Amino acid sequence: MKSKLKYILRCTLCGKEYEPDPFRLCCDEKHEPSLLRAVYANEKLEVKENLPGLFRYIDWLPVDRYLEADGKPITYQSKNLAHHLGLDHLFISFNGYWPERDAHLSTCSFKELEAFPILARIPEDNPKTLVVASAGNTGRAFATVCSKLKIPFFLVIPEQNLSAIWSKEPFDSCVRMIAVGGNGDYSDAIRIGQIISQLEGFFPEGGAKNVARRDGMGLTVVDATVTIGEIPDHYFQAVGSGTGGISAYEANLRFLADGRFGNKKMKLHLCQNIPFTPMTDAWNAGKREITALSEIEAKKCISQVSAKVLTNRNPAYSISGGVYEALADTDGEMYGVTNDESEKARALFEQLEGIDVSPAAGVATGALIQAVEAGKIAKKDTIVLNITSGGYKRMRQDYPLHYLKPRIFWNRALAVYHKGLPIKRRC
């Protein structure tokens, strides 16, 4: 690595290296699809307590500047839920709004951990508008942060998920949104987002291929490991695109290189919401490739889940550097959790820990309960449960919420595109 570079990008398949480039999403070599991974010059993490929020971990973020961010993951040792499950060392990575525990992610979601690094990585003089497709949490995070920082932003989201796009402050006019109407789902939003991002004056965020997204999400493991003082034995999280699971694994690899937090690979326990469980089904069948459902079958399954944010039909599972490889390298597990199991887990968490959590966090908690009942974790193991979103009820109590209204709906957006008419970048 060149001494003056903070990091380089390395292909997880062929090992080719690239200098930092905020717009590079893939390797140039002619081979199977692969993820690039950020390799940092500073292998030993130095926590910058003087920097705001999540940027205290800037050493392991692919950015050269920080933004004013209030929030970060918070990690605390559970007493009540741990006692209920018979666990001695259960730690909660809480990502949301819970002022009594100094949790100040104003969008109530760990997707805020993605938004700040991605935006800090983009050059300040960049003339193009960022485009993001979302099922809810990611869109809310980017819309809120871009509105706060006055950064032009274009969001594409299924119409059925519009209620997820809110903020405690009114949205600035630089933030715009297209709603995918009818029975359009997350994958439909992704397709429309790809169309818009290819138009003049726009650019794509990149999803799982964006190292800033992954390294931001990986801060849950970074904060947990620093707080606990060692790499955990087990890590539980609900996944849709799979990016969070990959991020957790990559953070673990960095701590192995650091050397001060132990030499173990934490076992990944990832989960999905029944009946939409493409990655769970593939993993439990021992397959690297996901069995594709027809669009009708997929949408039928998606319509039945409570955790809509977990419904990506094209997750980063099979790709080099993806979920399959992370699970294989950590002897991981995948679970399917029903709506009923998720709701019971949410109620249990709120009763015992004192804060409400999202359906996706309920899925993760339900998977932890399954693992305990199946004897997959030991009483004295160190476990991290990622509550990816929580504190929504508390946020509504403390602030009036403002909802973003779509400027345009899906069919009209397609018509604009096919007629070759420009979608103006500025509001």
Side-chain angles (χ1 to χ4, degrees):
M1 182 182 297
K2 295 181 180 180
S3 59
K4 291 185 179 181
L5 296 179
K6 179 181 179 180
Y7 69 97
I8 51 98
L9 298 172
R10 180 179 295 156
C11 176
T12 56
L13 183 57
C14 73
K16 183 172 181 178
E17 297 181 350
Y18 300 89
E19 293 191 2
D21 178 351
F23 302 109
R24 175 172 287 281
L25 299 174
C26 58
C27 181
D28 291 336
E29 297 300 305
K30 304 296 183 182
H31 53 55
E32 295 297 313
S34 63
L35 295 179
L36 298 177
R37 183 175 294 156
V39 180
Y40 294 96
N42 190 353
E43 289 188 340
K44 294 190 180 299
L45 177 67
E46 296 179 12
V47 180
K48 307 294 194 299
E49 299 286 357
N50 61 315
L51 294 186
L54 59 91
F55 287 102
R56 69 185 58 198
Y57 301 122
I58 197 170
D59 276 4
W60 287 358
L61 291 173
V63 301
D64 295 315
R65 63 188 177 108
Y66 66 87
L67 304 174
E68 290 301 322
D70 297 327
K72 61 176 280 293
I74 64 108
T75 306
Y76 72 93
Q77 185 166 6
S78 168
K79 294 180 180 179
N80 295 336
L81 181 61
H83 177 75
H84 178 83
L85 296 176
L87 301 172
D88 289 347
H89 304 291
L90 172 62
F91 290 84
I92 307 298
S93 173
F94 185 84
N95 296 273
Y97 179 69
W98 195 357
E100 290 78 9
R101 286 199 177 271
D102 201 26
H104 295 288
L105 292 177
S106 65
T107 63
C108 298
S109 169
F110 85 144
K111 296 297 185 177
E112 204 169 318
L113 307 179
E114 304 173 9
F116 277 103
I118 287 172
L119 295 171
R121 191 172 179 230
I122 298 170
E124 292 184 79
D125 59 354
N126 173 56
K128 295 185 178 181
T129 293
L130 175 66
V131 179
V132 168
S134 172
N137 288 343
T138 300
R140 181 169 71 253
F142 273 94
T144 299
V145 177
C146 287
S147 178
K148 175 183 177 181
L149 300 175
K150 303 294 189 292
I151 296 174
F153 174 64
F154 211 108
L155 172 64
V156 186
I157 188 170
E159 183 180 7
Q160 60 186 336
N161 296 2
L162 282 175
S163 62
I165 311 303
W166 52 263
S167 176
K168 67 179 185 179
E169 302 290 344
F171 287 99
D172 188 83
S173 61
C174 67
V175 173
R176 293 164 294 163
M177 179 170 63
I178 281 182
V180 182
N183 66 341
D185 64 10
Y186 186 16
S187 294
D188 294 318
I190 290 173
R191 286 200 295 266
I192 302 304
Q194 289 173 340
I195 291 172
I196 296 171
S197 67
Q198 293 169 11
L199 298 175
E200 184 179 356
F202 296 85
F203 72 101
E205 174 267 327
K209 294 180 179 180
N210 191 325
V211 295
R213 169 180 276 219
R214 301 204 310 273
D215 293 356
M217 295 174 78
L219 294 183
T220 55
V221 171
V222 172
D223 189 82
T225 301
V226 169
T227 301
I228 298 167
E230 65 174 354
I231 299 168
D233 296 304
H234 303 272
Y235 175 82
F236 284 80
Q237 187 193 317
V239 290
S241 69
T243 311
I246 302 167
S247 304
Y249 171 70
E250 292 178 329
N252 188 173
L253 295 181
R254 293 190 180 109
F255 278 116
L256 292 177
D258 182 305
R260 295 172 296 170
F261 296 86
N263 59 2
K264 58 191 171 187
K265 290 181 180 176
M266 65 182 186
K267 187 181 183 77
L268 293 181
H269 299 260
L270 308 179
C271 47
Q272 298 194 280
N273 195 176
I274 293 173
F276 186 76
T277 54
M279 287 186 282
T280 299
D281 296 342
W283 177 253
N284 290 336
K287 297 180 179 179
R288 182 170 185 135
E289 300 297 328
I290 289 175
T291 300
L293 296 175
S294 70
E295 186 166 347
I296 293 176
E297 290 175 316
K299 289 189 175 184
K300 181 179 178 181
C301 291
I302 289 170
S303 69
Q304 297 176 58
V305 304
S306 60
K308 299 297 185 186
V309 297
L310 305 180
T311 56
N312 190 321
R313 283 192 268 146
N314 297 288
Y317 178 79
S318 306
I319 190 172
S320 175
V323 174
Y324 179 87
E325 291 183 1
L327 287 168
D329 196 37
T330 64
D331 192 26
E333 304 270 359
M334 287 212 70
Y335 307 78
V337 178
T338 66
N339 289 344
D340 185 57
E341 288 174 316
S342 173
E343 287 306 306
K344 289 180 179 177
R346 292 175 70 194
L348 181 67
F349 192 98
E350 186 170 4
Q351 175 190 348
L352 296 178
E353 295 296 318
I355 194 70
D356 62 286
V357 300
S358 68
V363 170
T365 308
L368 173 61
I369 294 170
Q370 287 185 20
V372 170
E373 293 176 346
K376 293 182 178 180
I377 52 180
K379 176 182 176 65
K380 294 189 178 300
D381 285 349
T382 301
I383 303 145
V384 171
L385 170 63
N386 187 344
I387 297 299
T388 51
S389 181
Y392 175 53
K393 288 183 183 178
R394 181 60 194 277
M395 176 64 71
R396 284 193 302 176
Q397 290 174 2
D398 289 357
Y399 297 96
L401 300 185
H402 303 266
Y403 290 83
L404 184 63
K405 296 182 179 180
R407 296 289 186 92
I408 201 169
F409 282 84
W410 178 47
N411 291 338
R412 185 181 168 197
L414 281 179
V416 168
Y417 172 73
H418 288 306
K419 290 179 181 178
L421 299 177
I423 299 177
K424 293 183 179 179
R425 189 180 70 84
R426 297 291 180 184
C427 300

